[in-house]
Amino acid sequence: MRSRKEKWQVAVLEILQASEKPMSAYDVLGELRNANPRIAPPTIYRTLSYLVEKGRAHRLESLNAYIACKNHKHDKSAVITICEDCGAVDEYVATDVLKVLSNVIAHSGFATLRHVIELQGVCENCGFEQTSV
Amino acid sequence: MRSRKEKWQVAVLEILQASEKPMSAYDVLGELRNANPRIAPPTIYRTLSYLVEKGRAHRLESLNAYIACKNHKHDKSAVITICEDCGAVDEYVATDVLKVLSNVIAHSGFATLRHVIELQGVCENCGFEQTSV
DNA sequence: TTAGATTATGTTATATTATAACATAATTGT
DNA sequence: ACAATTATGTTATAATATAACATAATCTAA
Ligand SMILES: [Zn+2]
Ligand SMILES: [Zn+2]
Ligand SMILES: [Zn+2]
Ligand SMILES: [Zn+2]
């Protein structure tokens, strides 16, 4: 039998996967309330935390928002691009970047546990739209 | 004559510089209220935005907090390390990292305007403390 | 120098994001 | 079944951030 915990995780992941754009915790909450009007913020924050821990979703720190992971080729750390125009988000594998990063901080004795690498900018589509006016 | 705007910026920057650790906007607000009890959140958020735009301060997206810039060798983009144990923050010049990053996303057509690169982990001091127990 | 336009600041209220605290329910191990 | 543990529900509130608009300062050009 699937536990309640797992049911929430599946429901939230499906909502995130169905969205073209990052969703705030309260966006997800709104969707969940269609089926279950009494659900409260802690439930959704807990569920999002589990999903992020497992790598099934990512939290975008610069947006306070969440996406479903759509690129399982990375263990933990992805490079994430965020279009400021249309909100589209993509993930890239970051192995090389992490290598260079560890060189940059090599002499400091800092032991990295988690990377946040988010690039804000303009995606290909929006760039073309802008120049074609 | 120094404008009101500049006075706030100087005051906020001094507060950030005096702090060993990142401060939330409301931390800064609390300090400013010692001298000026009626100051309100928008003033401090505006001032922090100006300082961040000018590169005199950085916003740490993964902490919702701010630091004074203490490494003017970077134009815009720094690599920032954040110790989860003691809260200490350091900045590193990111030129190489940015180069590799642009390779990673080269084929996507994404034009990067702003980098958020924040490493969560354990600083040298806290690492030694942990292993010496 | 002053009227009008523009920009910056102050002020009030409120929106958004997130968690504390504790009660209840489910699950686990014996 | 029972106690111990973990997960969930629930209420309230904390923490972060901005909208909206009033007021004040600054700038520009007659
Ligand atoms: Zn991913
Ligand atoms: Zn776009
Ligand atoms: Zn800096
Ligand atoms: Zn430390």
Side-chain angles (χ1 to χ4, degrees):
Chain A
M1 167 82 183
R2 176 175 280 169
S3 69
R4 286 177 296 168
K5 182 172 175 175
E6 286 166 335
K7 281 182 187 167
W8 287 130
Q9 290 184 25
V10 170
V12 168
L13 199 54
E14 283 174 353
I15 288 168
L16 290 176
Q17 284 167 341
S19 170
E20 293 294 311
K21 301 188 180 170
M23 300 180 77
S24 76
Y26 278 77
D27 290 340
V28 177
L29 183 59
E31 292 287 324
L32 281 177
R33 278 182 169 158
N34 294 338
N36 187 334
R38 302 186 49 71
I39 187 172
T43 301
I44 182 64
Y45 278 101
R46 285 167 187 156
T47 304
L48 288 167
S49 295
Y50 297 137
L51 290 171
V52 168
E53 266 176 35
K54 291 204 270 182
R56 305 300 307 274
H58 299 294
R59 173 176 164 79
L60 307 185
E61 297 291 349
S62 58
L63 296 182
N64 295 343
Y66 300 81
I67 54 171
C69 176
K70 50 185 175 181
N71 182 346
H72 291 290
K73 287 170 192 152
H74 63 85
D75 270 340
K76 287 182 189 170
S77 299
V79 170
I80 291 174
T81 60
I82 303 169
C83 177
E84 291 179 349
D85 225 45
C86 69
V89 171
D90 276 308
E91 293 183 39
Y92 299 87
V93 176
T95 320
D96 294 349
V97 176
L98 302 189
K99 219 170 286 174
V100 177
L101 267 178
S102 70
N103 289 341
V104 169
I105 60 165
H107 302 298
S108 71
F110 186 88
T112 304
L113 298 173
R114 189 166 78 90
H115 302 79
V116 175
I117 307 176
E118 298 176 11
L119 310 184
Q120 312 261 351
V122 181
C123 78
E124 187 169 31
N125 281 344
C126 293
F128 279 131
E129 281 166 19
Q130 285 178 352
T131 55
S132 68
V133 173
Chain B
M1 167 81 183
R2 176 175 280 172
S3 69
R4 288 176 293 168
K5 182 172 175 175
E6 287 165 335
K7 281 183 189 168
W8 286 130
Q9 289 183 26
V10 170
V12 168
L13 199 54
E14 283 173 353
I15 288 168
L16 289 177
Q17 284 167 341
S19 169
E20 294 292 315
K21 301 187 181 172
M23 299 181 78
S24 75
Y26 277 77
D27 289 340
V28 176
L29 183 59
E31 293 287 324
L32 282 176
R33 279 182 168 156
N34 294 338
N36 187 335
R38 300 185 51 71
I39 188 174
T43 302
I44 182 64
Y45 278 100
R46 285 167 187 154
T47 304
L48 287 167
S49 294
Y50 296 137
L51 290 172
V52 169
E53 267 176 33
K54 292 203 269 180
R56 307 299 307 274
H58 299 294
R59 174 177 164 79
L60 307 185
E61 297 291 349
S62 57
L63 295 182
N64 295 343
Y66 299 82
I67 56 171
C69 177
K70 49 184 174 180
N71 181 346
H72 290 289
K73 287 170 191 152
H74 63 86
D75 271 340
K76 287 182 188 169
S77 298
V79 171
I80 291 173
T81 59
I82 304 169
C83 178
E84 292 180 349
D85 224 45
C86 69
V89 170
D90 276 307
E91 292 183 38
Y92 298 87
V93 176
T95 320
D96 294 348
V97 176
L98 302 188
K99 219 169 287 173
V100 176
L101 268 178
S102 70
N103 288 342
V104 169
I105 61 164
H107 303 299
S108 72
F110 185 89
T112 304
L113 299 173
R114 190 166 76 89
H115 301 79
V116 175
I117 306 176
E118 299 176 10
L119 309 185
Q120 312 263 351
V122 181
C123 78
E124 188 169 30
N125 282 344
C126 293
F128 278 131
E129 281 166 19
Q130 283 177 351
T131 55
S132 67
V133 172

